[in-house]
Amino acid sequence: MKKEKKHLDFELNLIPFIDLLSVCICFLLITAVWMNVGSVNVKQAIGGQSAAETEKKPTLWVFLADDGGLTLETRDSSRMPASLQKYSLKGQEGKTDLKQLLVQLQEMKRAEPELRTALIQPKPQTSYEEIINLMDSFKTAGMADLGVVPL
């Protein structure tokens, strides 16, 4: 008995492959739009230029404590009273009191209207949510230039 030879030619059906590629392209286009909408405009507040061409603007440094408290320190400000240049806020139950922070920021903005830059220095155990809540509070108070100081 003779064995029949199998054909080595094989037709590849490309229609499912083309369908899969078209779906992938649709997802790519949709997520590209979401990436644009979900982006945050961030620029480097300090260190982008040489020290000679940098003008001294008043800056608010925010140091986070382990208990949710904050230390607000104003630098390069000639109008800020001594009582507001270094100010500490106590935390409540391990959380930052955002209402008290807003009141303090408004008082600082009244004393120094050019205060627009805030730099936040978190602790290693600070949660991302706490930093975002702080940044929202600063934006509400009129601080346009925000930054997070590396650990």
Side-chain angles (χ1 to χ4, degrees), residues 6-138:
K6 289 186 178 181
H7 293 287
L8 297 178
D9 296 333
F10 181 72
E11 284 190 31
L12 184 61
N13 191 0
L14 293 178
I15 293 176
F17 181 71
I18 293 170
D19 289 342
L20 178 67
L21 282 179
S22 64
V23 169
C24 288
I25 289 172
C26 291
F27 278 114
L28 174 70
L29 292 174
I30 290 171
T31 55
V33 170
W34 284 348
M35 292 300 290
N36 189 17
V37 171
S39 66
V40 176
N41 186 14
V42 179
K43 62 180 180 178
Q44 187 171 352
I46 295 177
Q49 58 276 14
S50 68
E53 55 186 51
T54 305
E55 64 179 78
K56 297 290 183 185
K57 294 181 182 178
T59 307
L60 178 66
W61 285 75
V62 183
F63 302 99
L64 277 80
D66 294 332
D67 62 350
L70 298 173
T71 302
L72 306 172
E73 184 179 320
T74 312
R75 297 183 184 169
D76 299 325
S77 174
S78 58
R79 297 182 201 164
M80 191 70 67
S83 62
L84 294 177
Q85 283 190 356
K86 191 164 188 178
Y87 190 83
S88 294
L89 292 171
K90 301 226 184 256
Q92 293 180 347
E93 302 172 7
K95 298 278 185 184
T96 305
D97 187 4
L98 297 177
K99 290 179 183 177
Q100 186 181 0
L101 174 65
L102 278 174
V103 169
Q104 185 63 32
L105 288 175
Q106 289 171 351
E107 193 173 322
M108 288 179 157
K109 286 288 281 184
R110 264 186 255 123
E112 178 66 74
E114 294 180 14
L115 187 63
R116 297 177 44 87
T117 304
L119 299 172
I120 302 169
Q121 185 170 15
K123 296 280 186 183
Q125 60 271 16
T126 304
S127 70
Y128 183 70
E129 180 182 1
E130 288 178 56
I131 296 172
I132 295 300
N133 288 338
L134 276 176
M135 292 175 96
D136 285 340
S137 296
F138 288 123

